[in-house]
PDB file of all heavy atoms in Angstrom:
ATOM      1  N   MET A1066     141.778  85.156 100.710  1.00  0.00           N
ATOM      2  CA  MET A1066     142.778  84.101 100.974  1.00  0.00           C
ATOM      3  C   MET A1066     142.117  82.837 101.519  1.00  0.00           C
ATOM      4  O   MET A1066     142.463  81.762 101.168  1.00  0.00           O
ATOM      5  CB  MET A1066     143.830  84.612 101.960  1.00  0.00           C
ATOM      6  CG  MET A1066     144.707  85.746 101.381  1.00  0.00           C
ATOM      7  SD  MET A1066     146.044  86.250 102.503  1.00  0.00           S
ATOM      8  CE  MET A1066     145.136  87.038 103.822  1.00  0.00           C
ATOM      9  N   GLU A1067     141.092  83.031 102.376  1.00  0.00           N
ATOM     10  CA  GLU A1067     140.375  81.886 102.885  1.00  0.00           C
ATOM     11  C   GLU A1067     139.496  81.226 101.818  1.00  0.00           C
ATOM     12  O   GLU A1067     139.390  79.989 101.793  1.00  0.00           O
ATOM     13  CB  GLU A1067     139.453  82.339 104.062  1.00  0.00           C
ATOM     14  CG  GLU A1067     140.245  82.813 105.271  1.00  0.00           C
ATOM     15  CD  GLU A1067     139.283  83.392 106.337  1.00  0.00           C
ATOM     16  OE1 GLU A1067     138.578  84.398 106.048  1.00  0.00           O
ATOM     17  OE2 GLU A1067     139.248  82.861 107.444  1.00  0.00           O
ATOM     18  N   LEU A1068     138.922  82.029 100.992  1.00  0.00           N
ATOM     19  CA  LEU A1068     137.969  81.473 100.007  1.00  0.00           C
ATOM     20  C   LEU A1068     138.615  80.908  98.788  1.00  0.00           C
ATOM     21  O   LEU A1068     138.110  79.950  98.162  1.00  0.00           O
ATOM     22  CB  LEU A1068     137.021  82.643  99.535  1.00  0.00           C
ATOM     23  CG  LEU A1068     136.043  83.178 100.596  1.00  0.00           C
ATOM     24  CD1 LEU A1068     135.393  84.443 100.088  1.00  0.00           C
ATOM     25  CD2 LEU A1068     135.051  82.136 100.954  1.00  0.00           C
ATOM     26  N   ASN A1069     139.826  81.409  98.399  1.00  0.00           N
ATOM     27  CA  ASN A1069     140.567  80.961  97.241  1.00  0.00           C
ATOM     28  C   ASN A1069     139.623  80.788  96.058  1.00  0.00           C
ATOM     29  O   ASN A1069     139.464  79.681  95.472  1.00  0.00           O
ATOM     30  CB  ASN A1069     141.249  79.603  97.572  1.00  0.00           C
ATOM     31  CG  ASN A1069     142.395  79.324  96.601  1.00  0.00           C
ATOM     32  OD1 ASN A1069     142.558  80.064  95.597  1.00  0.00           O
ATOM     33  ND2 ASN A1069     143.221  78.340  96.909  1.00  0.00           N
ATOM     34  N   VAL A1070     138.981  81.880  95.682  1.00  0.00           N
ATOM     35  CA  VAL A1070     137.967  81.914  94.626  1.00  0.00           C
ATOM     36  C   VAL A1070     138.549  81.442  93.292  1.00  0.00           C
ATOM     37  O   VAL A1070     137.863  80.706  92.548  1.00  0.00           O
ATOM     38  CB  VAL A1070     137.364  83.317  94.491  1.00  0.00           C
ATOM     39  CG1 VAL A1070     136.415  83.419  93.298  1.00  0.00           C
ATOM     40  CG2 VAL A1070     136.601  83.713  95.763  1.00  0.00           C
ATOM     41  N   ARG A1071     139.805  81.746  93.032  1.00  0.00           N
ATOM     42  CA  ARG A1071     140.381  81.364  91.749  1.00  0.00           C
ATOM     43  C   ARG A1071     140.449  79.832  91.600  1.00  0.00           C
ATOM     44  O   ARG A1071     140.117  79.281  90.567  1.00  0.00           O
ATOM     45  CB  ARG A1071     141.750  81.996  91.601  1.00  0.00           C
ATOM     46  CG  ARG A1071     142.422  81.668  90.232  1.00  0.00           C
ATOM     47  CD  ARG A1071     143.793  82.370  90.129  1.00  0.00           C
ATOM     48  NE  ARG A1071     143.593  83.815  90.134  1.00  0.00           N
ATOM     49  CZ  ARG A1071     144.623  84.663  90.069  1.00  0.00           C
ATOM     50  NH1 ARG A1071     145.898  84.249  89.971  1.00  0.00           N
ATOM     51  NH2 ARG A1071     144.433  85.951  90.089  1.00  0.00           N
ATOM     52  N   LYS A1072     140.821  79.186  92.693  1.00  0.00           N
ATOM     53  CA  LYS A1072     140.963  77.745  92.638  1.00  0.00           C
ATOM     54  C   LYS A1072     139.578  77.038  92.766  1.00  0.00           C
ATOM     55  O   LYS A1072     139.281  76.109  92.012  1.00  0.00           O
ATOM     56  CB  LYS A1072     141.850  77.261  93.784  1.00  0.00           C
ATOM     57  CG  LYS A1072     141.975  75.733  93.867  1.00  0.00           C
ATOM     58  CD  LYS A1072     142.839  75.308  95.033  1.00  0.00           C
ATOM     59  CE  LYS A1072     142.946  73.793  95.155  1.00  0.00           C
ATOM     60  NZ  LYS A1072     143.723  73.331  96.322  1.00  0.00           N
ATOM     61  N   ASN A1073     138.756  77.497  93.702  1.00  0.00           N
ATOM     62  CA  ASN A1073     137.520  76.798  93.979  1.00  0.00           C
ATOM     63  C   ASN A1073     136.379  77.136  93.026  1.00  0.00           C
ATOM     64  O   ASN A1073     135.456  76.324  92.908  1.00  0.00           O
ATOM     65  CB  ASN A1073     137.075  77.113  95.408  1.00  0.00           C
ATOM     66  CG  ASN A1073     138.069  76.544  96.447  1.00  0.00           C
ATOM     67  OD1 ASN A1073     138.623  75.452  96.251  1.00  0.00           O
ATOM     68  ND2 ASN A1073     138.306  77.219  97.527  1.00  0.00           N
ATOM     69  N   TYR A1074     136.433  78.295  92.371  1.00  0.00           N
ATOM     70  CA  TYR A1074     135.328  78.727  91.508  1.00  0.00           C
ATOM     71  C   TYR A1074     135.792  79.050  90.089  1.00  0.00           C
ATOM     72  O   TYR A1074     134.919  79.440  89.275  1.00  0.00           O
ATOM     73  CB  TYR A1074     134.646  79.972  92.132  1.00  0.00           C
ATOM     74  CG  TYR A1074     133.970  79.643  93.457  1.00  0.00           C
ATOM     75  CD1 TYR A1074     134.676  79.786  94.644  1.00  0.00           C
ATOM     76  CD2 TYR A1074     132.668  79.200  93.563  1.00  0.00           C
ATOM     77  CE1 TYR A1074     134.133  79.502  95.893  1.00  0.00           C
ATOM     78  CE2 TYR A1074     132.046  78.899  94.745  1.00  0.00           C
ATOM     79  CZ  TYR A1074     132.767  79.057  95.916  1.00  0.00           C
ATOM     80  OH  TYR A1074     132.200  78.802  97.160  1.00  0.00           O
ATOM     81  N   LYS A1075     137.089  78.931  89.846  1.00  0.00           N
ATOM     82  CA  LYS A1075     137.640  79.245  88.506  1.00  0.00           C
ATOM     83  C   LYS A1075     137.272  80.669  88.077  1.00  0.00           C
ATOM     84  O   LYS A1075     136.959  80.936  86.960  1.00  0.00           O
ATOM     85  CB  LYS A1075     137.079  78.261  87.436  1.00  0.00           C
ATOM     86  CG  LYS A1075     137.213  76.802  87.783  1.00  0.00           C
ATOM     87  CD  LYS A1075     138.683  76.367  87.921  1.00  0.00           C
ATOM     88  CE  LYS A1075     138.745  74.858  88.170  1.00  0.00           C
ATOM     89  NZ  LYS A1075     140.160  74.393  88.369  1.00  0.00           N
ATOM     90  N   ALA A1076     137.390  81.611  89.039  1.00  0.00           N
ATOM     91  CA  ALA A1076     136.988  82.979  88.776  1.00  0.00           C
ATOM     92  C   ALA A1076     137.986  83.901  89.439  1.00  0.00           C
ATOM     93  O   ALA A1076     138.713  83.539  90.382  1.00  0.00           O
ATOM     94  CB  ALA A1076     135.582  83.204  89.338  1.00  0.00           C
ATOM     95  N   ASN A1077     138.007  85.149  88.977  1.00  0.00           N
ATOM     96  CA  ASN A1077     138.855  86.179  89.536  1.00  0.00           C
ATOM     97  C   ASN A1077     138.054  87.383  90.014  1.00  0.00           C
ATOM     98  O   ASN A1077     137.312  87.988  89.215  1.00  0.00           O
ATOM     99  CB  ASN A1077     139.868  86.655  88.493  1.00  0.00           C
ATOM    100  CG  ASN A1077     140.949  85.634  88.152  1.00  0.00           C
ATOM    101  OD1 ASN A1077     141.723  85.276  88.971  1.00  0.00           O
ATOM    102  ND2 ASN A1077     140.869  85.107  86.928  1.00  0.00           N
ATOM    103  N   VAL A1078     138.117  87.724  91.305  1.00  0.00           N
ATOM    104  CA  VAL A1078     137.479  88.898  91.844  1.00  0.00           C
ATOM    105  C   VAL A1078     138.390  90.068  91.563  1.00  0.00           C
ATOM    106  O   VAL A1078     139.554  90.105  92.066  1.00  0.00           O
ATOM    107  CB  VAL A1078     137.216  88.754  93.359  1.00  0.00           C
ATOM    108  CG1 VAL A1078     136.576  89.986  93.876  1.00  0.00           C
ATOM    109  CG2 VAL A1078     136.349  87.518  93.632  1.00  0.00           C
ATOM    110  N   ILE A1079     137.915  91.008  90.789  1.00  0.00           N
ATOM    111  CA  ILE A1079     138.789  92.141  90.366  1.00  0.00           C
ATOM    112  C   ILE A1079     138.497  93.464  91.086  1.00  0.00           C
ATOM    113  O   ILE A1079     139.340  94.381  91.110  1.00  0.00           O
ATOM    114  CB  ILE A1079     138.742  92.375  88.877  1.00  0.00           C
ATOM    115  CG1 ILE A1079     137.327  92.696  88.389  1.00  0.00           C
ATOM    116  CG2 ILE A1079     139.279  91.136  88.135  1.00  0.00           C
ATOM    117  CD1 ILE A1079     137.258  93.074  86.916  1.00  0.00           C
ATOM    118  N   ALA A1080     137.319  93.579  91.702  1.00  0.00           N
ATOM    119  CA  ALA A1080     137.032  94.813  92.398  1.00  0.00           C
ATOM    120  C   ALA A1080     135.881  94.566  93.454  1.00  0.00           C
ATOM    121  O   ALA A1080     135.110  93.678  93.315  1.00  0.00           O
ATOM    122  CB  ALA A1080     136.615  95.930  91.403  1.00  0.00           C
ATOM    123  N   LEU A1081     135.868  95.498  94.414  1.00  0.00           N
ATOM    124  CA  LEU A1081     134.841  95.435  95.457  1.00  0.00           C
ATOM    125  C   LEU A1081     134.216  96.819  95.561  1.00  0.00           C
ATOM    126  O   LEU A1081     134.904  97.837  95.464  1.00  0.00           O
ATOM    127  CB  LEU A1081     135.426  95.056  96.763  1.00  0.00           C
ATOM    128  CG  LEU A1081     134.520  95.094  98.042  1.00  0.00           C
ATOM    129  CD1 LEU A1081     134.849  93.950  98.984  1.00  0.00           C
ATOM    130  CD2 LEU A1081     134.695  96.429  98.765  1.00  0.00           C
ATOM    131  N   LYS A1082     132.889  96.862  95.734  1.00  0.00           N
ATOM    132  CA  LYS A1082     132.212  98.163  95.989  1.00  0.00           C
ATOM    133  C   LYS A1082     131.569  98.092  97.358  1.00  0.00           C
ATOM    134  O   LYS A1082     130.709  97.264  97.622  1.00  0.00           O
ATOM    135  CB  LYS A1082     131.142  98.409  94.892  1.00  0.00           C
ATOM    136  CG  LYS A1082     130.468  99.771  95.040  1.00  0.00           C
ATOM    137  CD  LYS A1082     129.496 100.002  93.902  1.00  0.00           C
ATOM    138  CE  LYS A1082     128.915 101.448  93.967  1.00  0.00           C
ATOM    139  NZ  LYS A1082     127.908 101.645  92.888  1.00  0.00           N
ATOM    140  N   ARG A1083     132.045  98.962  98.231  1.00  0.00           N
ATOM    141  CA  ARG A1083     131.476  99.095  99.590  1.00  0.00           C
ATOM    142  C   ARG A1083     131.183 100.547  99.829  1.00  0.00           C
ATOM    143  O   ARG A1083     132.080 101.334  99.981  1.00  0.00           O
ATOM    144  CB  ARG A1083     132.483  98.540 100.582  1.00  0.00           C
ATOM    145  CG  ARG A1083     131.966  98.578 102.013  1.00  0.00           C
ATOM    146  CD  ARG A1083     132.974  97.935 102.965  1.00  0.00           C
ATOM    147  NE  ARG A1083     133.073  96.491 102.778  1.00  0.00           N
ATOM    148  CZ  ARG A1083     134.041  95.756 103.236  1.00  0.00           C
ATOM    149  NH1 ARG A1083     135.052  96.300 103.876  1.00  0.00           N
ATOM    150  NH2 ARG A1083     134.075  94.426 102.991  1.00  0.00           N
ATOM    151  N   GLY A1084     129.899 100.877  99.748  1.00  0.00           N
ATOM    152  CA  GLY A1084     129.552 102.296  99.841  1.00  0.00           C
ATOM    153  C   GLY A1084     129.435 102.901  98.450  1.00  0.00           C
ATOM    154  O   GLY A1084     128.769 102.332  97.553  1.00  0.00           O
ATOM    155  N   SER A1085     130.145 103.958  98.186  1.00  0.00           N
ATOM    156  CA  SER A1085     129.937 104.758  96.937  1.00  0.00           C
ATOM    157  C   SER A1085     130.819 104.364  95.758  1.00  0.00           C
ATOM    158  O   SER A1085     130.454 104.610  94.649  1.00  0.00           O
ATOM    159  CB  SER A1085     130.130 106.234  97.232  1.00  0.00           C
ATOM    160  OG  SER A1085     131.427 106.485  97.719  1.00  0.00           O
ATOM    161  N   GLY A1086     131.981 103.723  96.023  1.00  0.00           N
ATOM    162  CA  GLY A1086     132.857 103.543  94.850  1.00  0.00           C
ATOM    163  C   GLY A1086     133.516 102.173  94.796  1.00  0.00           C
ATOM    164  O   GLY A1086     133.612 101.470  95.821  1.00  0.00           O
ATOM    165  N   TRP A1087     133.993 101.790  93.617  1.00  0.00           N
ATOM    166  CA  TRP A1087     134.714 100.513  93.451  1.00  0.00           C
ATOM    167  C   TRP A1087     136.159 100.696  93.855  1.00  0.00           C
ATOM    168  O   TRP A1087     136.765 101.764  93.774  1.00  0.00           O
ATOM    169  CB  TRP A1087     134.663 100.130  91.973  1.00  0.00           C
ATOM    170  CG  TRP A1087     133.331  99.674  91.513  1.00  0.00           C
ATOM    171  CD1 TRP A1087     132.414 100.459  90.862  1.00  0.00           C
ATOM    172  CD2 TRP A1087     132.750  98.381  91.685  1.00  0.00           C
ATOM    173  NE1 TRP A1087     131.264  99.686  90.596  1.00  0.00           N
ATOM    174  CE2 TRP A1087     131.453  98.462  91.087  1.00  0.00           C
ATOM    175  CE3 TRP A1087     133.184  97.175  92.263  1.00  0.00           C
ATOM    176  CZ2 TRP A1087     130.613  97.338  91.087  1.00  0.00           C
ATOM    177  CZ3 TRP A1087     132.348  96.082  92.237  1.00  0.00           C
ATOM    178  CH2 TRP A1087     131.062  96.175  91.672  1.00  0.00           C
ATOM    179  N   LYS A1088     136.799  99.625  94.363  1.00  0.00           N
ATOM    180  CA  LYS A1088     138.172  99.618  94.754  1.00  0.00           C
ATOM    181  C   LYS A1088     138.774  98.207  94.533  1.00  0.00           C
ATOM    182  O   LYS A1088     138.052  97.239  94.419  1.00  0.00           O
ATOM    183  CB  LYS A1088     138.370 100.054  96.194  1.00  0.00           C
ATOM    184  CG  LYS A1088     137.808  99.069  97.211  1.00  0.00           C
ATOM    185  CD  LYS A1088     138.129  99.515  98.639  1.00  0.00           C
ATOM    186  CE  LYS A1088     137.718  98.452  99.663  1.00  0.00           C
ATOM    187  NZ  LYS A1088     138.073  98.796 101.003  1.00  0.00           N
ATOM    188  N   ILE A1089     140.109  98.178  94.453  1.00  0.00           N
ATOM    189  CA  ILE A1089     140.774  96.861  94.389  1.00  0.00           C
ATOM    190  C   ILE A1089     140.610  96.208  95.733  1.00  0.00           C
ATOM    191  O   ILE A1089     140.834  96.780  96.780  1.00  0.00           O
ATOM    192  CB  ILE A1089     142.270  97.059  94.043  1.00  0.00           C
ATOM    193  CG1 ILE A1089     142.406  97.756  92.676  1.00  0.00           C
ATOM    194  CG2 ILE A1089     142.948  95.676  94.008  1.00  0.00           C
ATOM    195  CD1 ILE A1089     141.740  97.024  91.527  1.00  0.00           C
ATOM    196  N   LEU A1090     140.262  94.940  95.686  1.00  0.00           N
ATOM    197  CA  LEU A1090     140.000  94.168  96.930  1.00  0.00           C
ATOM    198  C   LEU A1090     141.249  93.774  97.630  1.00  0.00           C
ATOM    199  O   LEU A1090     142.179  93.187  97.048  1.00  0.00           O
ATOM    200  CB  LEU A1090     139.156  92.963  96.576  1.00  0.00           C
ATOM    201  CG  LEU A1090     138.735  92.063  97.759  1.00  0.00           C
ATOM    202  CD1 LEU A1090     137.857  92.840  98.758  1.00  0.00           C
ATOM    203  CD2 LEU A1090     137.967  90.871  97.269  1.00  0.00           C
ATOM    204  N   ASP A1091     141.368  94.088  98.910  1.00  0.00           N
ATOM    205  CA  ASP A1091     142.452  93.629  99.770  1.00  0.00           C
ATOM    206  C   ASP A1091     142.220  92.145 100.088  1.00  0.00           C
ATOM    207  O   ASP A1091     141.174  91.806 100.635  1.00  0.00           O
ATOM    208  CB  ASP A1091     142.505  94.455 101.051  1.00  0.00           C
ATOM    209  CG  ASP A1091     143.586  94.035 102.006  1.00  0.00           C
ATOM    210  OD1 ASP A1091     144.188  92.919 101.827  1.00  0.00           O
ATOM    211  OD2 ASP A1091     143.864  94.793 102.921  1.00  0.00           O
ATOM    212  N   PRO A1092     143.156  91.241  99.735  1.00  0.00           N
ATOM    213  CA  PRO A1092     142.914  89.770  99.980  1.00  0.00           C
ATOM    214  C   PRO A1092     142.650  89.398 101.381  1.00  0.00           C
ATOM    215  O   PRO A1092     142.071  88.340 101.672  1.00  0.00           O
ATOM    216  CB  PRO A1092     144.218  89.164  99.448  1.00  0.00           C
ATOM    217  CG  PRO A1092     144.844  90.175  98.556  1.00  0.00           C
ATOM    218  CD  PRO A1092     144.439  91.513  99.088  1.00  0.00           C
ATOM    219  N   ALA A1093     143.051  90.269 102.303  1.00  0.00           N
ATOM    220  CA  ALA A1093     142.901  89.968 103.756  1.00  0.00           C
ATOM    221  C   ALA A1093     141.597  90.580 104.334  1.00  0.00           C
ATOM    222  O   ALA A1093     141.300  90.429 105.504  1.00  0.00           O
ATOM    223  CB  ALA A1093     144.090  90.408 104.539  1.00  0.00           C
ATOM    224  N   GLU A1094     140.863  91.276 103.460  1.00  0.00           N
ATOM    225  CA  GLU A1094     139.659  91.991 103.943  1.00  0.00           C
ATOM    226  C   GLU A1094     138.458  91.057 103.920  1.00  0.00           C
ATOM    227  O   GLU A1094     138.070  90.458 102.913  1.00  0.00           O
ATOM    228  CB  GLU A1094     139.426  93.211 103.028  1.00  0.00           C
ATOM    229  CG  GLU A1094     138.288  94.139 103.506  1.00  0.00           C
ATOM    230  CD  GLU A1094     138.281  95.423 102.657  1.00  0.00           C
ATOM    231  OE1 GLU A1094     138.969  95.461 101.597  1.00  0.00           O
ATOM    232  OE2 GLU A1094     137.586  96.340 103.056  1.00  0.00           O
ATOM    233  N   ALA A1095     137.772  90.963 105.073  1.00  0.00           N
ATOM    234  CA  ALA A1095     136.570  90.172 105.201  1.00  0.00           C
ATOM    235  C   ALA A1095     135.387  90.763 104.426  1.00  0.00           C
ATOM    236  O   ALA A1095     135.274  91.988 104.382  1.00  0.00           O
ATOM    237  CB  ALA A1095     136.203  89.922 106.676  1.00  0.00           C
TER     238      ALA A1095
END
Side-chain angles (χ1 to χ4, degrees):
M1066 292 186 292
E1067 293 173 300
L1068 293 170
N1069 201 349
V1070 173
R1071 183 176 297 179
K1072 177 183 178 181
N1073 294 324
Y1074 297 88
K1075 309 296 184 184
N1077 290 292
V1078 179
I1079 60 174
L1081 173 145
K1082 187 176 183 181
R1083 181 176 291 164
S1085 59
W1087 289 97
K1088 67 175 185 175
I1089 300 300
L1090 180 61
D1091 180 345
E1094 187 173 10

